[in-house]
Amino acid sequence: CCFCVGNLCKASRWLTAYTFDGRQSCTFLITTERRIFLEKLLLIQITPEDAILNLAQRMHIRTVSVSPNDYQKSIGQLAGFPDQTATHTSDGTSLDGSMLIFCDVKERHQNQILEKLCTMDVSITYKAILTPTNRHWTVFQLYDELHREHCAMTGKEQDDSK
């Protein structure tokens, strides 16, 4: 089936599984807390989703299509960290755009995905990376923050009617 190799460092170990013909199968991060983290993409209101699902599958990256019913959960919970509860609740009910959130995705894979997205017919309003700060935010909080940053960078007035 496959075999694993890894790079050892003091705090954690990356393990990469390969098929016997030498193709990379998937990558795991094993921490000293004995949790395994896989590269993962959170897809929020992305249409069509199929192109990203196929791309992620070819790169052996897991995907989670986030349902609007889960927008009040923390980004960390959606990424698979059960102890990451949301610090605030939001009064939002819907989003005006879409988001793609990279969770423990290697920089090399992030760059490959972003390059491919430029050539695909998929429009994604905001892209983000899971951080220690935003993992406690809800989908609404992250969307609002990305919207504020986008308005500040483009010099556009912030539309509060989102």
Side-chain angles (χ1 to χ4, degrees), residues 137-154:
W137 296 355
T138 65
V139 170
F140 295 116
Q141 288 173 295
L142 180 58
Y143 187 89
D144 289 345
E145 180 62 24
L146 294 172
H147 181 73
R148 275 194 295 279
E149 288 177 8
H150 178 75
C151 289
M153 291 180 70
T154 58

Side-chain angles (χ1 to χ4, degrees), residues 89-150:
T89 57
S90 301
D91 53 358
T93 56
S94 67
L95 304 174
D96 283 343
S98 57
M99 285 194 300
L100 175 66
I101 305 171
F102 295 90
C103 305
D104 295 320
V105 177
K106 290 189 256 178
E107 185 177 355
R108 174 175 55 95
H109 285 160
Q110 289 174 23
N111 291 335
Q112 289 173 347
I113 290 168
L114 292 171
E115 285 175 17
K116 291 283 187 187
L117 287 175
C118 289
T119 63
M120 298 164 94
D121 191 27
V122 178
S123 176
I124 301 173
T125 311
Y126 299 119
K127 299 160 196 84
I129 296 174
L130 180 71
T131 67
T133 301
N134 69 21
R135 70 180 41 197
H136 295 283
W137 296 355
T138 65
V139 170
F140 295 116
Q141 288 173 295
L142 180 58
Y143 187 89
D144 289 345
E145 180 62 24
L146 294 172
H147 181 73
R148 275 194 295 279
E149 288 177 8
H150 178 75

Side-chain angles (χ1 to χ4, degrees), residues 73-74 76-77 81-88 135-137:
K73 292 182 180 176
S74 73
Q77 284 175 314
F81 299 91
D83 57 338
Q84 303 292 311
T85 58
T87 53
H88 295 88
R135 70 180 41 197
H136 295 283
W137 296 355

Side-chain angles (χ1 to χ4, degrees), residues 9-138:
C9 70
K10 208 168 197 161
S12 63
R13 175 185 288 200
W14 281 100
L15 289 179
T16 303
Y18 293 91
T19 59
F20 283 115
D21 63 357
R23 293 177 306 160
Q24 183 175 337
S25 174
C26 56
T27 302
F28 306 92
L29 172 63
I30 301 177
T31 69
T32 54
E33 298 173 354
R34 303 276 189 244
R35 284 194 234 156
I36 297 177
F37 301 108
L38 296 172
E39 293 181 295
K40 188 179 297 182
L41 298 174
L42 299 181
L43 311 175
I44 300 167
Q45 289 190 177
I46 296 175
T47 54
E49 221 176 53
D50 294 345
I52 294 178
L53 294 175
N54 291 334
L55 173 63
Q57 183 180 16
R58 285 194 311 271
M59 298 175 75
H60 306 287
I61 296 174
R62 293 186 60 203
T63 57
V64 175
S65 297
V66 180
S67 161
N69 296 336
D70 292 329
Y71 289 177
Q72 291 291 347
K73 292 182 180 176
S74 73
I75 302 295
Q77 284 175 314
L78 297 172
F81 299 91
D83 57 338
Q84 303 292 311
T85 58
T87 53
H88 295 88
T89 57
S90 301
D91 53 358
T93 56
S94 67
L95 304 174
D96 283 343
S98 57
M99 285 194 300
L100 175 66
I101 305 171
F102 295 90
C103 305
D104 295 320
V105 177
K106 290 189 256 178
E107 185 177 355
R108 174 175 55 95
H109 285 160
Q110 289 174 23
N111 291 335
Q112 289 173 347
I113 290 168
L114 292 171
E115 285 175 17
K116 291 283 187 187
L117 287 175
C118 289
T119 63
M120 298 164 94
D121 191 27
V122 178
S123 176
I124 301 173
T125 311
Y126 299 119
K127 299 160 196 84
I129 296 174
L130 180 71
T131 67
T133 301
N134 69 21
R135 70 180 41 197
H136 295 283
W137 296 355
T138 65

